[in-house]
């Protein structure tokens, strides 16, 4: 089957980026879907690499123009979405799209893409562990961390709506499992 997509969703801090980056390095036919966002770039983030950064008015304009496959106000005032043009860009190259997307977005994309999609929920071991990972990452304020932890607790309840639950309490084995399930999906 052509025009496939792989969806990775997880509560923030569950180690999603590490797993997604590993998988992208492992299979050359995979390509990361660059989302649009209205939040500002963090750290070393570059426009057109991690995200397409848009001022909020421009993001709203694109919503009105029906430019998105899906979008979500992930945090109050911060919009994130997948542009239809991004899906076309990657499929035109014959590549399999990899989405790194919030839990609700993941459920939506699975509904939209159906059998073309393989959806993976990355489960962090516990809320306490999650909090300590976010603190360790050092990119968010204490208030932002508490907001993310509360959100994560709610998001954990969505796990059973995904095709596969990947438990990330040991990174090495999580990466191995990710290799296997992604390889099987690509070969299908
Ligand atoms: P961050 O600001 O930490 O980069 O991302 C915050 C959350 O937004 C993450 O869970 C990320 O996966 C999610 N996200 C990124 N792109 C999209 C998107 O296109 N749509 C939705 N619904 N969520 C996204």
């Amino acid at each position: 089957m052509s025009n496939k997509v792989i969806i990775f969703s997880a509560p923030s801090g569950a180690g999603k980026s590490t797993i997604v980056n590993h998988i992208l390095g492992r299979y050359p036919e995979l390509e990361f879907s660059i989302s649009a966002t209205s939040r500002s770039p963090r750290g070393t983030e570059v426009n057109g690499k991690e995200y397409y950064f848009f001022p909020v008015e421009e993001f709203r304009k694109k919503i009105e123009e029906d430019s998105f496959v899906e979008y979500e106000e992930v945090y109050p005032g911060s919009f994130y979405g997948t542009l239809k043009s991004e899906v076309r860009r990657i499929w035109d190259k014959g590549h399999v799209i990899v989405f790194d997307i919030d839990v609700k977005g993941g459920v939506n994309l699975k509904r939209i893409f159906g059998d073309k999609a393989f959806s993976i929920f990355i489960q962090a071991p516990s809320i306490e562990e999650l909090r300590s990972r976010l603190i360790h990452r050092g990119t968010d304020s204490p208030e932002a961390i508490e907001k993310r932890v509360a959100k994560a607790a709610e998001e954990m309840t969505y796990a059973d709506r995904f095709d596969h639950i990947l438990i990330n309490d040991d990174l090495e084995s999580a990466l191995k499992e990710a290799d296997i399930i992604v390889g099987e999906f690509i070969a299908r």
Side-chain angles (χ1 to χ4, degrees):
M1 197 209 294
S2 56
N3 289 0
K4 291 181 184 179
V5 316
I6 301 171
I7 301 159
F8 284 95
S9 295
S12 179
K16 183 173 50 170
S17 314
T18 308
I19 292 172
V20 169
N21 288 330
H22 168 84
I23 280 297
L24 287 167
R26 189 76 215 286
Y27 296 100
E29 59 269 65
L30 299 181
E31 186 159 349
F32 181 67
S33 166
I34 303 164
S35 293
T37 183
S38 70
R39 80 152 164 78
S40 311
R42 272 201 301 251
T44 59
E45 287 178 339
V46 175
N47 186 37
K49 186 163 173 261
E50 287 84 2
Y51 286 105
Y52 302 113
F53 294 99
F54 290 119
V56 70
E57 314 80 63
E58 213 171 305
F59 199 104
R60 287 187 200 280
K61 189 160 159 265
K62 294 208 175 287
I63 295 172
E64 277 161 32
E65 292 168 351
D66 195 26
S67 301
F68 289 104
V69 181
E70 67 77 42
Y71 72 91
E72 200 79 55
E73 189 174 358
V74 176
Y75 301 105
S78 294
F79 292 88
Y80 296 78
T82 303
L83 291 162
K84 291 178 180 172
S85 57
E86 181 68 3
V87 170
R88 240 174 282 124
R89 181 181 76 80
I90 299 174
W91 275 349
D92 281 352
K93 292 200 236 170
H95 287 169
V96 175
I97 306 175
V98 172
F99 290 103
D100 170 337
I101 194 166
D102 86 315
V103 169
K104 282 177 190 158
V107 171
N108 284 337
L109 285 183
K110 175 64 189 180
R111 201 184 51 235
I112 291 162
F113 290 112
D115 287 344
K116 291 182 187 304
F118 182 51
S119 64
I120 301 165
F121 185 93
I122 300 168
Q123 179 113 58
S126 70
I127 290 294
E128 268 320 302
E129 175 66 22
L130 191 64
R131 183 181 283 113
S132 94
R133 283 184 195 186
L134 286 171
I135 292 168
H136 209 77
R137 189 169 79 174
T139 54
D140 300 273
S141 67
E143 299 75 39
I145 288 174
E146 282 317 306
K147 260 208 245 171
R148 279 169 186 252
V149 166
K151 191 174 162 61
E154 196 240 321
E155 286 176 333
M156 296 233 187
T157 65
Y158 286 79
D160 62 0
R161 300 208 208 164
F162 284 74
D163 293 322
H164 191 95
I165 299 174
L166 185 64
I167 296 174
N168 184 20
D169 47 13
D170 172 61
L171 184 60
E172 276 311 303
S173 45
L175 294 179
K176 271 194 203 130
E177 188 179 334
D179 280 350
I180 294 167
I181 57 175
V182 166
E184 281 172 0
F185 176 70
I186 294 173
R188 226 184 261 170

